[in-house]
Amino acid sequence: MSFVFAIDQGTSSSRTLVCNDKAEVIHIEQQDFDLIYPENGWVEQCPDTLFTTVLKTYLAARASFEPCCIGITNQRETTIVWRRDTGEPIYNAIVWQDRRTQDFCEELKEKGVEQLLVDTTGLMIDPYFSASKIAWILDNVDGAREMAERGELMFGTVDTWILYRLTNGEVHATDATNASRTQLFDIHTQQWSEPLCNLFNVPMSMLPKVLDSADNYGRVSTHIDSASPAITAMIGDQQAALVGQRCFKPGQSKSTFGTGSFLMVNTGTIATQPDNGLLTTVAYRINGQPYYAIEGAIFMAGASVQWLRDSLQVIDDAPASEALAREANPHHQVILVPAFTGLGAPHWAPNARAAIFGLTRDAGRAEITAATLEASAFQTLDLLEAINAMGQSCEGLTIDGGMSANRWFCQALADICQIEVRQSDETEGTAIGAAILALWQGRVSELAPPLQSTCFEPSGKGDHPRLSAWRQAIGAIPR
């Protein structure tokens, strides 16, 4: 049997998943690691730790399985800069969550350049993306700016860094999905944008070559694996989940309910002009043809359930939220706005903070738990309404991630959004997406096995009984 290795490098762990020739996961190796918080709002990782944890999981899997090829998927936007001569990072990886460049981004907005960025990249100005992080490193690490201008530095998101290390420095490349999250890539021409590089003062010599999501990325160095298997796919994690959930047609959508929640709608070969607080991004690129998606990000989903467990201590573990929510009075009017770290799309209110509305004497643990789960559903509805206002529509919603195992939540999501919710039987959609691309290259939509799922149909018609209360609550949050 042929095996494909899917390397999944995430925000808090690195994993290597072994898949068979049907893209089914048969083995997982995982290494967790700690994040670094040097200052308030700063989030970093050690670049060497990112690679060594990947290497440990790869070698552990390699001890029992031999890969025919490898696909890589990764946390997006996280930024690493290293020396071209030695391969040594000049600073820690600045993580996608990091907010240190907020003031710089506000200055760019005041210059009136945001529309240029939206038109070129599909992204709004925000510290979330890579460009401002690169600029910060060049301006704050001694000698970095001069080295960059001499062509002595290289930049990469995590996929590029892992590839560079796996190939022993032979390949400096990324794929179109990761490039599209840097805010330096023209998603229409599929080229690095010289005007945007000039705007952020990032020398183009630092940037990696941009390849298809399924492409020839070289081979693992014989110093690591004497068999030197081919690396045949790279793709950002949320786009990988779109592929893993088989959303190949325009209108097909997925939402991954992990720590946060990311909803993506495939728009085919059309890059829809972003609007209503949503982003346009490259979904994947096959045989030189880019396919696009609309994306909306919710900052708190599973993390809100963790808050119930760790801070309020109303549940012992996440699965307990399902049984407790079932005990809630169905007529309650408790609303949680989970703006613990601000509000994401479509509101984009970074200074908003969480609040609970509608508490009465008979409201208790069950009602607060139900409101916490419903908050992710209401936020998803906000995204779907913004998507509909752009003239797009969703043909049902395929969901994955930890919260998707909660059947009470799945039904609440269907009822609140008035849409068919498909609970994917594939819990490793992100890694599976990388495996599908690595295995079937340009014929992914033809050869990928059909997805198995459980469907939840809306149980009522019209507005949800707490929708009006949600809208009042979201409007009452100070921005």
Side-chain angles (χ1 to χ4, degrees):
M1 181 179 292
S2 296
F3 300 103
V4 58
F5 281 17
I7 293 174
D8 183 359
Q9 202 302 299
T11 308
S12 57
S13 72
S14 298
R15 302 191 304 159
T16 296
L17 296 88
V18 180
C19 303
N20 61 19
D21 55 6
K22 296 180 181 178
E24 299 168 330
V25 175
I26 61 172
H27 185 77
I28 301 175
E29 295 287 346
Q30 178 167 331
Q31 285 274 322
D32 297 334
F33 54 82
D34 294 328
L35 279 76
I36 303 165
Y37 304 97
E39 296 186 26
N40 183 35
W42 294 27
V43 189
E44 298 178 0
Q45 294 163 329
C46 172
D48 288 334
T49 297
L50 295 180
F51 177 69
T52 55
T53 53
V54 165
L55 184 60
K56 286 179 181 178
T57 64
Y58 175 85
L59 293 176
R62 187 67 180 83
S64 302
F65 302 92
E66 182 172 350
C68 63
C69 57
I70 297 169
I72 298 173
T73 185
N74 56 284
Q75 54 170 315
R76 305 175 303 172
E77 296 94 18
T78 295
T79 297
I80 306 171
V81 176
W82 63 94
R83 294 175 59 107
R84 191 178 297 275
D85 56 354
T86 65
E88 290 297 315
I90 66 168
Y91 191 79
N92 277 339
I94 301 182
V95 179
W96 59 272
Q97 298 165 317
D98 190 281
R99 306 300 294 178
R100 75 184 68 187
T101 61
Q102 180 71 48
D103 290 344
F104 175 72
C105 289
E106 291 300 324
E107 292 172 7
L108 289 179
K109 290 180 182 180
E110 291 173 2
K111 291 180 180 179
V113 299
E114 184 159 33
Q115 195 58 49
L116 169 65
L117 282 157
V118 171
D119 292 343
T120 306
T121 70
L123 312 174
M124 62 183 63
I125 297 176
D126 194 85
Y128 179 26
F129 306 108
S130 307
S132 65
K133 303 179 194 300
I134 305 171
W136 188 93
I137 291 174
L138 296 185
D139 291 335
N140 288 275
V141 174
D142 288 344
R145 173 65 61 190
E146 293 76 16
M147 293 175 67
E149 291 174 352
R150 293 195 298 266
E152 297 172 0
L153 296 182
M154 306 170 84
F155 152 75
T157 42
V158 172
D159 58 312
T160 300
W161 172 244
I162 298 303
L163 177 70
Y164 180 83
R165 295 292 300 271
L166 284 174
T167 61
N168 198 31
E170 291 295 320
V171 184
H172 182 218
T174 189
D175 91 301
T177 69
N178 282 293
S180 76
R181 309 299 294 190
T182 61
Q183 214 157 47
L184 298 174
F185 186 70
D186 188 324
I187 63 172
H188 308 287
T189 66
Q190 293 290 294
Q191 302 289 330
W192 294 115
S193 168
E194 185 172 0
L196 294 186
C197 288
N198 292 336
L199 177 66
F200 285 95
N201 202 12
V202 174
M204 296 186 74
S205 61
M206 296 178 65
L207 305 179
K209 183 178 181 180
V210 181
L211 302 177
D212 288 348
S213 304
D215 213 322
N216 176 16
Y217 284 92
R219 292 181 172 273
V220 175
S221 169
T222 54
H223 293 91
I224 294 173
D225 186 341
S226 60
S228 190
I231 302 167
T232 55
M234 292 209 308
I235 186 170
D237 55 6
Q238 297 306 319
Q239 286 92 335
L242 192 77
V243 173
Q245 300 304 340
R246 320 303 199 265
C247 296
F248 298 121
K249 297 179 181 178
Q252 292 183 328
S253 58
K254 73 87 192 176
S255 193
T256 300
F257 290 93
T259 300
S261 176
F262 293 84
L263 190 154
M264 299 188 80
V265 183
N266 191 325
T267 61
T269 57
I270 298 173
T272 304
Q273 180 68 14
D275 197 4
N276 298 325
L278 301 172
L279 308 176
T280 296
T281 195
V282 176
Y284 45 88
R285 197 172 85 186
I286 303 291
N287 295 329
Q289 173 64 61
Y291 296 82
Y292 298 93
I294 298 170
E295 178 175 333
I298 296 169
F299 294 157
M300 297 288 291
S304 297
V305 179
Q306 293 174 344
W307 170 75
L308 286 178
R309 181 195 65 195
D310 300 337
S311 298
L312 294 193
Q313 298 182 356
V314 300
I315 54 174
D316 292 329
D317 51 40
S321 64
E322 178 171 353
L324 190 54
R326 293 187 188 280
E327 297 177 10
N329 181 340
H331 305 295
H332 79 86
Q333 288 293 304
V334 179
I335 297 292
L336 168 70
V337 179
F340 297 95
T341 56
L343 290 170
H347 309 286
W348 292 108
N351 296 320
R353 288 297 175 262
I356 299 177
F357 297 84
L359 289 175
T360 57
R361 285 288 301 272
D362 61 344
R365 298 166 60 246
E367 287 71 28
I368 292 174
T369 298
T372 301
L373 296 175
E374 287 180 339
S376 290
F378 282 123
Q379 290 179 102
T380 301
L381 175 62
D382 290 346
L383 293 178
L384 291 172
E385 289 180 337
I387 289 167
N388 290 336
M390 292 175 62
Q392 299 292 319
S393 60
C394 296
E395 299 176 1
L397 183 63
T398 300
I399 66 172
D400 60 357
M403 283 183 69
S404 68
N406 185 321
R407 294 177 63 86
W408 187 94
F409 168 70
C410 293
Q411 188 60 58
L413 183 64
D415 292 344
I416 288 171
C417 296
Q418 287 293 293
I419 194 171
E420 180 186 73
V421 171
R422 306 180 188 110
Q423 179 194 46
S424 173
D425 291 350
E426 180 50 73
T427 58
E428 296 290 350
T430 300
I432 290 295
I436 286 173
L437 286 165
L439 278 168
W440 293 300
Q441 298 284 292
R443 301 181 65 193
V444 289
S445 60
E446 301 172 44
L447 300 178
L451 184 69
Q452 302 299 314
S453 60
T454 301
C455 292
F456 293 81
E457 299 287 348
S459 59
K461 293 183 179 180
D463 288 346
H464 189 272
R466 283 180 287 282
L467 178 56
S468 177
W470 166 260
R471 288 176 170 158
Q472 291 177 22
I474 203 79
I477 294 292
R479 309 300 173 94

